[in-house]
Amino acid sequence: MTKVVLLFWIFIKATCTSFAGLGSLPEIRHELVDQQHWATDEQIDQTIVITRTTPGPVGAWIVAVGYMVDGWPGAVAGWLAMAAPSLIVILLVGYFGKRAQHPRIRGMLQSVVLASATLLVLAAIPIGRDALVGPLTIGIAVIALPLLIAKRVDTIWIVAGAAVVSFTGALLGVVA
Amino acid sequence: MTEEPDIVTPTLPEVAGVFTRYANLTWGGGSATIAVLRKQIVDNRRWLRESEFDLAYALSRLTPGTNLLAFCTAAGWTRRRTLGAIVALLASSIPCSLLVLIVTVFYGELHGSSWFQAALRGALAAAVAIMLSTAWVFAEPHVEAAPWKAVVIAPLTVGLALGLGLSPVEILLLSAVIGLAWPTPRPR
């Protein structure tokens, strides 16, 4: 089996059995670092930093891992393994969509959305611990929150404005 | 399928354009990005009804892999079936993958650049606010429609995650079971 095929097999096994962007991390780290010795712990850590650096889904970290292990073919294998499991949702939407007005299905969807929203708040805590490190970054978050909720300002402008403020603050020597 | 007059069926290039622009340019992970997409495809463009959005969002959370891509696939399928699903999936996964590749190739230079790190710190601080506002945007209609369910589900989720250490998918499946046993009547 060529390297890229085995790499894709490792990736797809991990993405098809995990339910979040970094959920596949333990399995992929075990296979690539401990079993195949194709990557180091440091490289895996770098890919996590990279996915935090870029916008879009956190699951795209697997593309960086693929590139580090096998160049462009590895990156394509990572992209395929990231994207392919999403097609499963068509079966779910097809089945539940026909029954979406049933009170029990409505109850199920409502409960899952409420639990997801709560999980999102919990997920923001560790990111906040890392990102809100000084008066400037705390100020950015405090000002951005009501703008997003009340004014419904487009997120792209919030992110761009925050980056510019932080960059300007660094130029002026303001503590982050 | 008979469409309500206020629901718009997008062309495939429109699907590609919106998902390319809005699924690839938001920090804070999948849910924050889905909140941005919600504003575009439910509020601004009326491609999906709120109930269709909830269906796509909830089921994408229960689909293996990357939730954001599953959501985009479900949203594309809802209005344009198979071609819409494929176009939305490609549009939401290729640009962000290319961005990841660019950063991977230039990782050394970018990681050592103080201006890049400063701008990134600001973007991540904004991401925290985006995640919190997203949680509220998603929960608000259900908190208003079923406050007792919110009072039960939210603390239960916190307890299961922090107290028992259950994984998100285990908590979501448990929530689904509770929801099946606690039906929500049809709106009048």
Side-chain angles (χ1 to χ4, degrees):
Chain A
M1 199 184 293
T2 62
K3 187 176 184 180
V4 71
V5 174
L6 181 55
L7 186 63
F8 174 72
W9 177 241
I10 290 169
F11 283 162
I12 197 79
K13 267 195 308 177
T15 56
C16 280
T17 53
S18 62
F19 289 83
L22 287 176
S24 54
L25 176 62
E27 172 72 15
I28 289 177
R29 184 193 286 270
H30 172 70
E31 286 282 350
L32 297 185
V33 177
D34 300 336
Q35 298 294 314
Q36 305 292 340
H37 306 292
W38 286 346
T40 63
D41 273 325
E42 191 187 359
Q43 283 178 312
I44 299 287
D45 290 344
Q46 278 180 13
T47 62
I48 296 166
V49 173
I50 287 167
T51 200
R52 292 275 299 273
T53 307
T54 54
V58 178
W61 77 285
I62 199 173
V63 177
V65 176
Y67 180 81
M68 284 184 177
V69 170
D70 200 27
W72 287 95
V76 172
W79 170 74
L80 265 178
M82 173 181 73
S86 306
L87 296 169
I88 296 169
V89 81
I90 292 174
L91 300 175
L92 296 176
V93 177
Y95 179 81
F96 287 104
K98 289 177 191 152
R99 298 157 181 82
Q101 292 307 310
H102 190 285
R104 291 196 185 280
I105 301 298
R106 284 171 53 82
M108 181 190 84
L109 297 176
Q110 197 166 52
S111 297
V112 171
V113 171
L114 284 168
S116 293
T118 311
L119 287 170
L120 193 54
V121 173
L122 296 179
I125 294 171
I127 294 178
R129 213 176 279 143
D130 290 346
L132 309 183
V133 291
L136 191 61
T137 45
I138 292 171
I140 287 171
V142 167
I143 292 169
L145 188 58
L147 283 177
L148 286 160
I149 290 177
K151 301 286 183 187
R152 301 284 174 100
V153 176
D154 201 322
T155 315
I156 290 168
W157 298 117
I158 296 280
V159 171
V164 170
V165 167
S166 184
F167 175 65
T168 310
L171 281 180
L172 298 174
V174 178
V175 179
Chain B
M1 188 189 296
T2 306
E3 294 297 347
E4 290 174 7
D6 64 332
I7 292 296
V8 176
T9 300
T11 64
L12 291 175
E14 284 173 334
V15 172
V18 165
F19 283 96
T20 297
R21 181 170 171 197
Y22 292 99
N24 295 281
L25 292 175
T26 305
W27 276 265
S31 289
T33 308
I34 291 171
V36 174
L37 283 167
R38 183 187 197 282
K39 190 177 172 190
Q40 288 300 320
I41 65 180
V42 176
D43 300 339
N44 293 0
R45 297 167 198 270
R46 303 193 310 278
W47 291 357
L48 295 190
R49 300 173 184 89
E50 283 197 16
S51 60
E52 290 172 328
F53 170 85
D54 282 347
L55 182 75
Y57 176 60
L59 295 177
S60 72
R61 297 282 288 160
L62 298 170
T63 301
T66 302
N67 303 145
L68 169 61
L69 301 184
F71 169 79
C72 295
T73 306
W77 188 85
T78 300
R79 269 296 79 74
R80 293 300 310 255
R81 294 299 186 247
T82 306
L83 273 180
I86 291 171
V87 168
L89 177 59
L90 294 178
S92 56
S93 64
I94 291 177
C96 62
S97 298
L98 291 175
L99 280 173
V100 163
L101 275 174
I102 291 167
V103 175
T104 306
V105 171
F106 295 104
Y107 179 77
E109 288 84 346
L110 289 172
H111 195 61
S113 157
S114 57
W115 68 263
F116 180 77
Q117 291 300 324
L120 181 61
R121 269 197 301 274
L124 285 176
V128 175
I130 291 168
M131 291 173 81
L132 295 177
S133 68
T134 300
W136 179 243
V137 167
F138 286 170
E140 186 187 14
H142 300 293
V143 171
E144 286 176 3
W148 282 109
K149 197 171 275 184
V151 166
V152 171
I153 294 288
L156 183 68
T157 300
V158 173
L160 293 172
L162 301 182
L164 296 182
L166 294 191
S167 70
V169 73
E170 288 169 329
I171 294 169
L172 294 173
L173 285 172
L174 196 57
S175 303
V177 172
I178 293 171
L180 283 170
W182 188 351
T184 301
R186 288 188 180 91
R188 294 182 181 181

